[in-house]
Coordinates of all heavy atoms in Angstrom, one line a residue:
M4 N 8.6 -20.9 -180.4 CA 9.9 -20.5 -180.6 C 9.8 -19.2 -181.5 O 9.3 -19.3 -182.6 CB 10.7 -21.6 -181.3 CG 12.1 -21.3 -181.6 SD 13.0 -22.8 -182.3 CE 14.4 -22.8 -181.2
V5 N 10.3 -18.2 -181.0 CA 10.3 -16.9 -181.6 C 10.9 -16.9 -183.0 O 10.3 -16.3 -184.0 CB 10.9 -15.8 -180.7 CG1 11.0 -14.5 -181.4 CG2 10.2 -15.7 -179.4
L6 N 12.0 -17.5 -183.2 CA 12.7 -17.5 -184.5 C 11.9 -18.3 -185.5 O 12.0 -17.9 -186.7 CB 14.1 -18.1 -184.3 CG 15.0 -17.2 -183.5 CD1 16.4 -17.9 -183.4 CD2 15.2 -15.9 -184.0
L7 N 11.2 -19.3 -185.1 CA 10.3 -20.0 -186.1 C 9.2 -19.1 -186.6 O 8.9 -19.1 -187.8 CB 9.8 -21.3 -185.5 CG 10.8 -22.4 -185.2 CD1 10.1 -23.6 -184.6 CD2 11.6 -22.8 -186.4
R8 N 8.7 -18.3 -185.7 CA 7.6 -17.4 -186.1 C 8.2 -16.3 -187.1 O 7.6 -16.0 -188.1 CB 7.0 -16.7 -184.9 CG 6.0 -17.7 -184.2 CD 5.1 -16.9 -183.2 NE 5.9 -16.4 -182.1 CZ 6.1 -17.0 -180.9 NH1 5.6 -18.2 -180.8 NH2 6.8 -16.5 -180.0
A9 N 9.4 -15.9 -186.8 CA 10.0 -14.9 -187.7 C 10.3 -15.5 -189.1 O 10.1 -14.9 -190.1 CB 11.3 -14.4 -187.0
E10 N 10.8 -16.7 -189.1 CA 11.0 -17.4 -190.4 C 9.7 -17.6 -191.1 O 9.6 -17.4 -192.3 CB 11.7 -18.8 -190.2 CG 11.8 -19.6 -191.4 CD 12.7 -19.0 -192.5 OE1 13.3 -17.9 -192.4 OE2 12.7 -19.6 -193.6
A11 N 8.6 -17.9 -190.4 CA 7.3 -18.0 -191.1 C 6.9 -16.7 -191.7 O 6.3 -16.7 -192.8 CB 6.3 -18.5 -190.1
R12 N 7.1 -15.6 -190.9 CA 6.8 -14.3 -191.5 C 7.6 -14.0 -192.7 O 7.0 -13.5 -193.7 CB 7.0 -13.2 -190.4 CG 6.0 -13.2 -189.3 CD 6.0 -11.9 -188.5 NE 7.3 -11.6 -187.9 CZ 7.8 -12.1 -186.8 NH1 7.0 -12.9 -186.0 NH2 9.0 -11.8 -186.3
R13 N 8.8 -14.3 -192.7 CA 9.7 -14.1 -193.9 C 9.2 -14.9 -195.1 O 9.1 -14.4 -196.2 CB 11.1 -14.4 -193.6 CG 12.0 -14.3 -194.8 CD 13.5 -14.2 -194.5 NE 14.1 -15.3 -193.9 CZ 15.4 -15.4 -193.6 NH1 16.2 -14.4 -193.8 NH2 15.8 -16.5 -193.0
R14 N 8.8 -16.2 -194.8 CA 8.3 -17.0 -195.9 C 7.0 -16.5 -196.5 O 6.7 -16.8 -197.6 CB 8.2 -18.5 -195.4 CG 9.5 -19.2 -195.2 CD 9.3 -20.6 -194.7 NE 10.6 -21.2 -194.4 CZ 10.7 -22.5 -194.3 NH1 9.6 -23.3 -194.3 NH2 11.9 -23.0 -194.0
A15 N 6.3 -15.8 -195.6 CA 5.0 -15.2 -196.1 C 5.2 -13.9 -196.8 O 4.2 -13.3 -197.2 CB 4.1 -15.1 -194.9
G16 N 6.4 -13.5 -197.0 CA 6.7 -12.3 -197.7 C 6.7 -11.0 -196.9 O 6.8 -9.9 -197.4
K17 N 6.7 -11.2 -195.6 CA 6.7 -10.0 -194.7 C 8.1 -9.6 -194.4 O 9.0 -10.3 -194.5 CB 6.0 -10.3 -193.4 CG 4.5 -10.7 -193.6 CD 3.7 -10.7 -192.4 CE 2.3 -11.0 -192.9 NZ 1.3 -11.1 -192.1
T18 N 8.3 -8.3 -194.1 CA 9.6 -7.7 -193.9 C 10.0 -7.9 -192.5 O 9.2 -7.7 -191.5 CB 9.6 -6.2 -194.2 OG1 9.1 -6.0 -195.6 CG2 10.9 -5.6 -194.0
L19 N 11.2 -8.4 -192.3 CA 11.8 -8.5 -190.9 C 12.8 -7.4 -190.7 O 13.4 -6.9 -191.6 CB 12.5 -9.9 -190.8 CG 11.8 -11.1 -191.1 CD1 12.7 -12.4 -190.9 CD2 10.6 -11.3 -190.2
N20 N 13.0 -7.1 -189.4 CA 14.0 -6.1 -189.1 C 15.3 -6.7 -189.2 O 15.5 -8.0 -189.2 CB 13.7 -5.4 -187.7 CG 13.8 -6.4 -186.6 OD1 14.7 -7.2 -186.5 ND2 12.9 -6.3 -185.6
Q21 N 16.4 -6.0 -189.2 CA 17.8 -6.5 -189.4 C 18.2 -7.5 -188.3 O 18.8 -8.5 -188.6 CB 18.8 -5.3 -189.5 CG 18.7 -4.6 -190.8 CD 19.0 -5.5 -192.0 OE1 19.9 -6.3 -191.9 NE2 18.3 -5.2 -193.1
D22 N 17.7 -7.2 -187.1 CA 18.1 -8.1 -186.0 C 17.4 -9.5 -186.2 O 18.1 -10.5 -186.0 CB 17.6 -7.5 -184.6 CG 18.1 -8.4 -183.4 OD1 19.3 -8.7 -183.4 OD2 17.3 -8.6 -182.6
D23 N 16.1 -9.5 -186.6 CA 15.4 -10.8 -186.8 C 16.1 -11.5 -188.0 O 16.2 -12.7 -188.0 CB 13.9 -10.6 -187.1 CG 13.2 -10.3 -185.8 OD1 13.7 -10.6 -184.7 OD2 12.0 -9.8 -185.9
I24 N 16.4 -10.8 -189.1 CA 17.1 -11.4 -190.2 C 18.4 -12.1 -189.8 O 18.6 -13.3 -190.1 CB 17.4 -10.4 -191.3 CG1 16.1 -9.9 -191.9 CG2 18.3 -11.0 -192.4 CD1 16.2 -8.7 -192.9
Y25 N 19.2 -11.4 -189.0 CA 20.4 -12.0 -188.5 C 20.2 -13.2 -187.7 O 20.9 -14.2 -187.9 CB 21.2 -10.9 -187.7 CG 22.4 -11.4 -187.1 CD1 23.6 -11.6 -187.8 CD2 22.5 -11.9 -185.8 CE1 24.8 -12.1 -187.3 CE2 23.6 -12.4 -185.2 CZ 24.7 -12.5 -185.9 OH 25.9 -13.0 -185.4
R26 N 19.2 -13.1 -186.8 CA 19.0 -14.2 -185.9 C 18.4 -15.5 -186.6 O 18.8 -16.6 -186.3 CB 18.1 -13.8 -184.7 CG 18.8 -12.8 -183.8 CD 17.9 -12.1 -182.8 NE 17.2 -13.1 -182.0 CZ 15.9 -12.9 -181.6 NH1 15.2 -11.8 -181.9 NH2 15.4 -13.8 -180.8
V27 N 17.5 -15.2 -187.5 CA 16.9 -16.4 -188.3 C 18.0 -17.0 -189.2 O 18.1 -18.2 -189.3 CB 15.7 -15.9 -189.1 CG1 15.3 -17.0 -190.1 CG2 14.5 -15.5 -188.2
D28 N 18.8 -16.1 -189.8 CA 19.8 -16.7 -190.7 C 20.8 -17.5 -189.8 O 21.3 -18.6 -190.3 CB 20.6 -15.6 -191.4 CG 19.8 -15.0 -192.6 OD1 18.7 -15.6 -193.0 OD2 20.1 -13.9 -193.1
A29 N 21.1 -17.1 -188.6 CA 22.0 -17.8 -187.7 C 21.4 -19.1 -187.4 O 22.1 -20.2 -187.3 CB 22.3 -17.0 -186.5
L30 N 20.1 -19.2 -187.1 CA 19.4 -20.4 -186.8 C 19.5 -21.4 -188.0 O 19.8 -22.6 -187.8 CB 17.9 -20.2 -186.4 CG 17.1 -21.4 -186.3 CD1 17.5 -22.3 -185.2 CD2 15.6 -21.1 -186.3
L31 N 19.2 -20.9 -189.2 CA 19.3 -21.8 -190.3 C 20.7 -22.3 -190.6 O 20.9 -23.5 -190.9 CB 18.8 -21.0 -191.6 CG 17.3 -20.5 -191.5 CD1 16.9 -19.7 -192.7 CD2 16.4 -21.7 -191.3
R32 N 21.7 -21.5 -190.4 CA 23.1 -21.9 -190.5 C 23.4 -23.0 -189.5 O 24.0 -24.0 -189.8 CB 24.1 -20.8 -190.4 CG 24.3 -19.9 -191.6 CD 25.5 -19.0 -191.5 NE 25.4 -18.2 -190.3 CZ 24.8 -17.0 -190.1 NH1 24.1 -16.5 -191.1 NH2 24.8 -16.4 -189.0
D33 N 23.0 -22.8 -188.3 CA 23.2 -23.7 -187.2 C 22.6 -25.1 -187.5 O 23.2 -26.1 -187.3 CB 22.7 -23.1 -185.9 CG 23.1 -24.0 -184.6 OD1 24.3 -24.4 -184.6 OD2 22.2 -24.2 -183.8
L34 N 21.3 -25.0 -187.9 CA 20.6 -26.3 -188.3 C 21.4 -27.0 -189.4 O 21.5 -28.2 -189.3 CB 19.2 -26.0 -188.7 CG 18.2 -25.5 -187.6 CD1 16.9 -25.1 -188.3 CD2 18.0 -26.6 -186.6
K35 N 21.8 -26.3 -190.4 CA 22.6 -26.9 -191.5 C 23.9 -27.5 -191.0 O 24.2 -28.7 -191.3 CB 22.8 -25.9 -192.6 CG 23.4 -26.5 -193.8 CD 23.5 -25.5 -194.9 CE 24.1 -26.1 -196.2 NZ 24.1 -25.2 -197.3
E36 N 24.6 -26.8 -190.2 CA 25.9 -27.3 -189.7 C 25.7 -28.5 -188.8 O 26.6 -29.4 -188.8 CB 26.6 -26.2 -188.9 CG 27.2 -25.1 -189.8 CD 27.7 -23.8 -189.0 OE1 27.7 -23.9 -187.8 OE2 28.0 -22.8 -189.7
R37 N 24.7 -28.5 -188.0 CA 24.4 -29.6 -187.1 C 23.7 -30.8 -187.7 O 23.5 -31.8 -187.1 CB 23.6 -29.2 -185.9 CG 24.3 -28.2 -185.0 CD 23.3 -27.8 -183.9 NE 23.8 -26.9 -183.0 CZ 23.6 -26.9 -181.7 NH1 22.9 -27.9 -181.2 NH2 24.1 -26.1 -180.9
H38 N 23.2 -30.6 -189.0 CA 22.4 -31.6 -189.7 C 21.2 -31.9 -188.8 O 21.0 -33.1 -188.5 CB 23.2 -32.8 -190.0 CG 24.4 -32.5 -190.9 ND1 24.3 -32.2 -192.2 CD2 25.7 -32.5 -190.6 CE1 25.5 -32.0 -192.7 NE2 26.4 -32.1 -191.7
A39 N 20.5 -30.9 -188.4 CA 19.4 -31.0 -187.4 C 18.2 -30.3 -187.9 O 18.2 -29.5 -188.8 CB 19.8 -30.4 -186.1
V40 N 17.1 -30.7 -187.3 CA 15.8 -30.0 -187.5 C 15.2 -29.7 -186.1 O 15.6 -30.3 -185.1 CB 14.8 -30.9 -188.4 CG1 15.3 -31.1 -189.8 CG2 14.5 -32.2 -187.7
V41 N 14.2 -28.9 -186.1 CA 13.4 -28.5 -184.9 C 12.3 -29.6 -184.8 O 11.6 -29.9 -185.7 CB 12.9 -27.1 -185.0 CG1 12.1 -26.8 -183.7 CG2 14.0 -26.1 -185.2
H42 N 12.2 -30.1 -183.6 CA 11.2 -31.1 -183.2 C 10.4 -30.5 -182.1 O 10.9 -30.0 -181.1 CB 11.8 -32.4 -182.9 CG 10.8 -33.5 -182.5 ND1 9.9 -34.0 -183.3 CD2 10.6 -34.0 -181.3 CE1 9.2 -34.9 -182.7 NE2 9.6 -34.9 -181.4
Y43 N 9.1 -30.7 -182.1 CA 8.2 -30.3 -181.0 C 7.6 -31.5 -180.3 O 7.0 -32.4 -181.0 CB 7.1 -29.4 -181.5 CG 6.1 -29.0 -180.3 CD1 6.6 -28.2 -179.3 CD2 4.9 -29.5 -180.3 CE1 5.7 -27.8 -178.2 CE2 4.0 -29.2 -179.2 CZ 4.5 -28.3 -178.2 OH 3.6 -28.0 -177.2
D44 N 7.8 -31.6 -179.0 CA 7.3 -32.7 -178.2 C 6.5 -32.1 -177.1 O 7.1 -31.6 -176.1 CB 8.4 -33.6 -177.7 CG 7.8 -34.8 -177.0 OD1 6.6 -34.9 -176.7 OD2 8.6 -35.8 -176.8
P45 N 5.2 -32.0 -177.1 CA 4.4 -31.4 -176.1 C 4.5 -32.1 -174.7 O 4.2 -31.5 -173.7 CB 3.0 -31.4 -176.6 CG 3.0 -32.6 -177.5 CD 4.3 -32.7 -178.1
D46 N 5.1 -33.3 -174.7 CA 5.2 -34.0 -173.4 C 6.5 -33.8 -172.7 O 6.8 -34.4 -171.7 CB 5.0 -35.5 -173.7 CG 3.6 -35.8 -174.2 OD1 2.6 -35.1 -173.8 OD2 3.4 -36.7 -175.1
T47 N 7.3 -32.9 -173.2 CA 8.6 -32.5 -172.6 C 8.5 -31.1 -172.1 O 7.7 -30.3 -172.6 CB 9.8 -32.6 -173.5 OG1 9.6 -31.7 -174.6 CG2 9.9 -34.0 -174.1
E48 N 9.3 -30.8 -171.1 CA 9.3 -29.5 -170.5 C 9.7 -28.4 -171.5 O 9.2 -27.3 -171.5 CB 10.2 -29.5 -169.2 CG 10.1 -28.2 -168.4 CD 10.8 -28.2 -167.1 OE1 10.7 -29.3 -166.4 OE2 11.5 -27.3 -166.8
E49 N 10.8 -28.7 -172.3 CA 11.3 -27.7 -173.2 C 10.4 -27.6 -174.4 O 10.4 -26.5 -175.1 CB 12.7 -28.0 -173.6 CG 13.3 -29.3 -173.9 CD 13.3 -30.4 -172.9 OE1 13.7 -30.2 -171.8 OE2 12.9 -31.5 -173.4
G50 N 9.6 -28.6 -174.8 CA 8.7 -28.5 -175.9 C 9.5 -28.6 -177.2 O 9.5 -29.7 -177.8
F51 N 10.1 -27.5 -177.7 CA 10.9 -27.5 -178.9 C 12.3 -27.9 -178.6 O 12.9 -27.4 -177.7 CB 10.9 -26.1 -179.6 CG 9.6 -25.7 -180.2 CD1 8.7 -24.9 -179.5 CD2 9.2 -26.1 -181.4 CE1 7.5 -24.6 -180.0 CE2 8.0 -25.8 -182.0 CZ 7.1 -25.0 -181.3
H52 N 12.9 -28.7 -179.4 CA 14.3 -29.0 -179.3 C 14.9 -29.5 -180.7 O 14.1 -29.8 -181.6 CB 14.6 -30.0 -178.2 CG 13.8 -31.3 -178.3 ND1 12.6 -31.4 -177.8 CD2 14.2 -32.5 -178.8 CE1 12.1 -32.6 -178.0 NE2 13.1 -33.3 -178.6
L53 N 16.2 -29.5 -180.8 CA 16.8 -30.0 -182.0 C 17.0 -31.5 -182.0 O 17.4 -32.0 -181.0 CB 18.2 -29.3 -182.2 CG 18.1 -27.7 -182.3 CD1 19.5 -27.2 -182.6 CD2 17.1 -27.3 -183.4
V54 N 16.8 -32.1 -183.1 CA 17.0 -33.5 -183.3 C 17.8 -33.7 -184.6 O 17.8 -32.9 -185.5 CB 15.7 -34.3 -183.3 CG1 15.0 -34.2 -182.0 CG2 14.8 -33.9 -184.5
P55 N 18.6 -34.8 -184.7 CA 19.3 -35.1 -186.0 C 18.3 -35.2 -187.2 O 17.2 -35.8 -187.1 CB 20.0 -36.4 -185.7 CG 20.0 -36.6 -184.2 CD 18.8 -35.9 -183.7
R56 N 18.7 -34.6 -188.3 CA 18.0 -34.6 -189.5 C 17.9 -36.1 -190.0 O 18.9 -36.8 -189.9 CB 18.6 -33.7 -190.6 CG 17.9 -33.7 -191.9 CD 18.5 -32.8 -192.9 NE 18.1 -31.4 -192.5 CZ 16.9 -30.8 -192.9 NH1 16.1 -31.5 -193.6 NH2 16.7 -29.6 -192.5
E57 N 16.7 -36.5 -190.5 CA 16.5 -37.8 -191.1 C 16.2 -37.6 -192.5 O 15.8 -36.6 -193.0 CB 15.4 -38.5 -190.3 CG 15.8 -38.8 -188.9 CD 14.7 -39.6 -188.1 OE1 13.6 -39.8 -188.7 OE2 15.0 -40.0 -187.0
P58 N 16.4 -38.7 -193.3 CA 16.1 -38.5 -194.8 C 14.7 -38.0 -195.1 O 14.6 -37.3 -196.1 CB 16.3 -40.0 -195.3 CG 17.2 -40.6 -194.3 CD 16.8 -40.0 -193.0
E59 N 13.7 -38.3 -194.3 CA 12.4 -37.8 -194.6 C 12.1 -36.4 -194.2 O 11.0 -35.8 -194.5 CB 11.3 -38.7 -194.0 CG 11.4 -38.9 -192.5 CD 12.3 -40.0 -192.0 OE1 13.0 -40.6 -192.8 OE2 12.3 -40.2 -190.8
D60 N 13.0 -35.7 -193.5 CA 12.9 -34.3 -193.1 C 13.0 -33.5 -194.3 O 14.1 -33.5 -195.0 CB 13.9 -34.0 -192.0 CG 13.6 -34.6 -190.7 OD1 12.4 -34.8 -190.4 OD2 14.6 -35.0 -190.0
E61 N 12.0 -32.7 -194.7 CA 12.0 -31.9 -195.9 C 12.2 -30.4 -195.6 O 12.4 -29.6 -196.5 CB 10.7 -32.1 -196.6 CG 10.5 -33.5 -197.1 CD 9.2 -33.7 -197.8 OE1 8.4 -32.8 -198.0 OE2 9.0 -34.8 -198.3
D62 N 12.1 -30.0 -194.3 CA 12.2 -28.6 -194.0 C 12.9 -28.5 -192.7 O 13.5 -29.4 -192.2 CB 10.8 -28.0 -193.9 CG 10.7 -26.5 -194.1 OD1 11.8 -25.9 -194.2 OD2 9.6 -26.0 -194.1
I63 N 12.8 -27.3 -192.0 CA 13.6 -27.1 -190.8 C 12.8 -27.6 -189.6 O 13.4 -27.7 -188.5 CB 13.9 -25.6 -190.6 CG1 12.7 -24.7 -190.5 CG2 14.8 -25.1 -191.7 CD1 12.9 -23.3 -190.1
I64 N 11.6 -28.0 -189.8 CA 10.7 -28.5 -188.7 C 10.4 -30.0 -189.0 O 9.9 -30.3 -190.1 CB 9.5 -27.7 -188.5 CG1 9.8 -26.2 -188.1 CG2 8.6 -28.3 -187.4 CD1 8.6 -25.3 -188.1
R65 N 10.6 -30.8 -188.0 CA 10.2 -32.2 -188.2 C 8.7 -32.4 -188.2 O 8.0 -31.9 -187.3 CB 10.8 -33.1 -187.1 CG 10.2 -34.4 -186.8 CD 11.0 -35.6 -187.3 NE 12.3 -35.5 -187.7 CZ 13.3 -36.0 -186.9 NH1 13.1 -36.6 -185.7 NH2 14.6 -35.9 -187.3
Q66 N 8.1 -33.0 -189.2 CA 6.7 -33.3 -189.3 C 6.4 -34.5 -188.5 O 7.2 -35.5 -188.6 CB 6.3 -33.5 -190.7 CG 6.4 -32.3 -191.6 CD 5.5 -31.2 -191.1 OE1 4.3 -31.4 -190.8 NE2 6.0 -30.0 -191.0
P67 N 5.4 -34.5 -187.6 CA 5.1 -35.7 -186.8 C 4.7 -36.9 -187.7 O 4.1 -36.7 -188.8 CB 3.9 -35.3 -185.9 CG 3.5 -34.0 -186.4 CD 4.5 -33.4 -187.4
A68 N 5.1 -38.1 -187.3 CA 4.8 -39.3 -188.0 C 3.3 -39.5 -188.1 O 2.8 -40.0 -189.0 CB 5.5 -40.5 -187.4
K69 N 2.6 -39.2 -187.0 CA 1.2 -39.3 -186.9 C 0.6 -38.2 -186.0 O 1.3 -37.7 -185.1 CB 0.8 -40.7 -186.4 CG 1.3 -40.9 -185.0 CD 0.8 -42.3 -184.5 CE 1.3 -42.5 -183.0 NZ 0.8 -43.7 -182.5
V70 N -0.6 -37.9 -186.2 CA -1.3 -36.9 -185.4 C -1.6 -37.6 -184.1 O -2.3 -38.7 -184.1 CB -2.6 -36.4 -186.1 CG1 -3.3 -35.4 -185.2 CG2 -2.2 -35.7 -187.4
T71 N -1.2 -37.0 -183.0 CA -1.5 -37.6 -181.7 C -2.6 -37.0 -180.9 O -3.1 -37.5 -180.0 CB -0.2 -37.6 -180.8 OG1 0.2 -36.2 -180.7 CG2 0.9 -38.4 -181.4
R72 N -3.0 -35.8 -181.4 CA -4.1 -35.0 -180.7 C -5.0 -34.5 -181.8 O -4.6 -34.1 -182.8 CB -3.5 -33.9 -179.9 CG -2.6 -34.3 -178.8 CD -2.3 -33.2 -177.9 NE -1.5 -33.7 -176.8 CZ -0.5 -33.1 -176.2 NH1 -0.3 -31.8 -176.5 NH2 0.1 -33.6 -175.2
K73 N -6.3 -34.5 -181.4 CA -7.3 -34.0 -182.3 C -7.3 -32.5 -182.3 O -7.3 -31.9 -181.2 CB -8.7 -34.5 -181.9 CG -9.7 -34.3 -182.9 CD -11.0 -35.0 -182.5 CE -12.0 -34.8 -183.6 NZ -13.3 -35.5 -183.3
R74 N -7.2 -31.8 -183.5 CA -7.2 -30.4 -183.5 C -8.6 -29.8 -183.2 O -9.6 -30.4 -183.7 CB -6.8 -29.9 -184.9 CG -5.3 -30.0 -185.1 CD -5.0 -29.4 -186.4 NE -3.5 -29.4 -186.6 CZ -2.9 -28.8 -187.6 NH1 -3.6 -28.2 -188.5 NH2 -1.6 -28.9 -187.7
R75 N -8.7 -28.7 -182.6 CA -9.9 -28.0 -182.4 C -10.4 -27.4 -183.7 O -9.5 -26.8 -184.4 CB -9.9 -27.0 -181.3 CG -9.8 -27.6 -179.9 CD -10.0 -26.5 -178.9 NE -8.7 -25.8 -178.9 CZ -8.4 -24.8 -178.0 NH1 -9.3 -24.5 -177.1 NH2 -7.3 -24.2 -178.1
S76 N -11.6 -27.4 -184.0 CA -12.1 -26.8 -185.2 C -12.1 -25.3 -185.0 O -12.4 -24.8 -183.9 CB -13.6 -27.3 -185.4 OG -14.1 -26.6 -186.5
R77 N -11.9 -24.6 -186.1 CA -12.0 -23.1 -186.1 C -13.4 -22.7 -186.3 O -13.7 -21.5 -186.1 CB -11.1 -22.5 -187.2 CG -9.7 -22.7 -186.9 CD -8.9 -22.0 -188.0 NE -7.5 -22.2 -187.7 CZ -6.6 -21.2 -187.9 NH1 -7.0 -20.1 -188.4 NH2 -5.3 -21.4 -187.6
D78 N -14.3 -23.6 -186.6 CA -15.7 -23.3 -186.8 C -16.4 -23.1 -185.4 O -16.5 -24.1 -184.7 CB -16.3 -24.4 -187.6 CG -17.8 -24.1 -187.9 OD1 -18.4 -23.1 -187.4 OD2 -18.4 -24.9 -188.7
P79 N -16.8 -21.9 -185.1 CA -17.4 -21.7 -183.7 C -18.7 -22.6 -183.5 O -19.1 -22.9 -182.4 CB -17.7 -20.3 -183.6 CG -17.6 -19.7 -185.0 CD -16.8 -20.7 -185.8
S80 N -19.4 -23.0 -184.6 CA -20.6 -23.7 -184.4 C -20.3 -25.2 -184.0 O -21.2 -25.9 -183.5 CB -21.4 -23.8 -185.7 OG -20.7 -24.5 -186.7
T81 N -19.0 -25.6 -184.1 CA -18.7 -27.0 -183.6 C -18.1 -27.0 -182.3 O -17.7 -28.1 -181.8 CB -17.8 -27.7 -184.6 OG1 -16.5 -26.9 -184.7 CG2 -18.4 -27.8 -186.0
A82 N -18.0 -25.9 -181.6 CA -17.3 -25.8 -180.3 C -18.2 -26.3 -179.2 O -19.4 -26.3 -179.2 CB -16.8 -24.4 -180.0

């Protein structure tokens, strides 16, 4: 999701252009108004979608309850 990457850049202290600022701010307002968070489900065609916010949601992205896939190591010697 392009807007999530833009929000990550903003949180990292990088400068966004005015269009990205407007679009990210609109996304954040929409999430707040809908009481929703972004959820990623790799087993669905759309991948990212909005779900109702739950008490344990601390940010705009739902953290998975458990890791379902093993991450690949960034260490090339373990590949």
Side-chain angles (χ1 to χ4, degrees):
M4 182 175 229
V5 174
L6 294 178
L7 293 178
R8 285 194 291 270
E10 173 63 4
R12 287 193 305 273
R13 178 162 61 179
R14 290 180 180 195
K17 301 195 176 178
T18 303
L19 302 181
N20 64 44
Q21 286 298 324
D22 187 47
D23 284 344
I24 292 169
Y25 175 80
R26 292 169 57 215
V27 169
D28 286 346
L30 169 67
L31 297 177
R32 279 191 308 274
D33 188 45
L34 290 173
K35 186 174 183 176
E36 289 170 5
R37 292 177 181 224
H38 303 286
V40 294
V41 178
H42 176 69
Y43 177 68
D44 185 348
D46 297 325
T47 63
E48 188 172 316
E49 46 296 315
F51 289 98
H52 53 279
L53 300 183
V54 295
R56 179 176 284 279
E57 295 181 355
E59 59 271 8
D60 291 322
E61 297 177 1
D62 204 353
I63 63 172
I64 300 173
R65 163 103 17 104
Q66 294 296 315
K69 63 179 181 175
V70 176
T71 57
R72 296 189 178 149
K73 192 173 185 178
R74 287 186 174 186
R75 284 190 289 187
S76 173
R77 290 182 179 222
D78 182 355
S80 67
T81 62

